[in-house]
Amino acid sequence: MYPTIMPGDRVIVKPLPKGELPKPGTVVVYLENTRLVMHRLVKITCIESDKAVFISRGDSLKDYDRPWHQDQLTGIAVMYKRGVKEHSIPTFLPGLLTQLAGVDYLLKKV
């Protein structure tokens, strides 16, 4: 999750109430095989048999993760601690800030 979360940061993960879905842009933690993955939720693609299918991506990655199911969700990352300081984790869709920065740059050139 670099650059939002850096190596050595301690992350607080909160479980969601049963039946509640995370919002796109939220950093989620899910189980893939035997490892935990912490990536930003990009979209909820569909709901099959009352279970959602999610697409996520790491903040510094170009490629999206393979779709994964709601029953793999462990929780959402709500804050991290770097040194002695605590920070909330911002909610945004990957690529949107870069796109907006590009638009801002183009407007300044005009």
Side-chain angles (χ1 to χ4, degrees), residues 85-102:
K85 197 168 182 183
E86 291 183 348
H87 307 270
S88 61
I89 296 178
T91 298
F92 63 86
L93 292 174
L96 185 59
L97 292 178
T98 305
Q99 292 169 11
L100 291 175

Side-chain angles (χ1 to χ4, degrees), residues 99-110:
Q99 292 169 11
L100 291 175
V103 168
D104 185 48
Y105 174 76
L106 289 174
L107 289 175
K108 287 180 182 178
K109 288 193 80 151
V110 172

Side-chain angles (χ1 to χ4, degrees), residues 42-104:
V42 176
K43 79 188 233 186
I44 300 171
T45 58
C46 65
I47 297 184
E48 301 172 348
S49 308
D50 295 330
K51 293 200 179 190
V53 176
F54 300 119
I55 303 288
S56 54
R57 187 181 101 187
D59 283 355
S60 63
L61 301 176
K62 292 180 186 175
D63 296 326
Y64 295 104
D65 301 333
R66 289 188 317 232
W68 52 278
H69 292 90
Q70 182 177 352
D71 56 359
Q72 294 173 259
L73 181 66
T74 301
I76 60 170
V78 292
M79 75 173 27
Y80 64 94
K81 191 170 184 178
R82 183 173 296 151
V84 295
K85 197 168 182 183
E86 291 183 348
H87 307 270
S88 61
I89 296 178
T91 298
F92 63 86
L93 292 174
L96 185 59
L97 292 178
T98 305
Q99 292 169 11
L100 291 175
V103 168
D104 185 48

Side-chain angles (χ1 to χ4, degrees), residues 1-12 27 38 40 59-60 77 79-83 85 87-90:
M1 280 304 302
Y2 179 85
T4 303
I5 300 168
M6 308 285 259
D9 289 349
R10 289 172 283 159
V11 180
I12 296 172
V27 175
M38 183 183 319
R40 197 169 298 277
D59 283 355
S60 63
M79 75 173 27
Y80 64 94
K81 191 170 184 178
R82 183 173 296 151
K85 197 168 182 183
H87 307 270
S88 61
I89 296 178

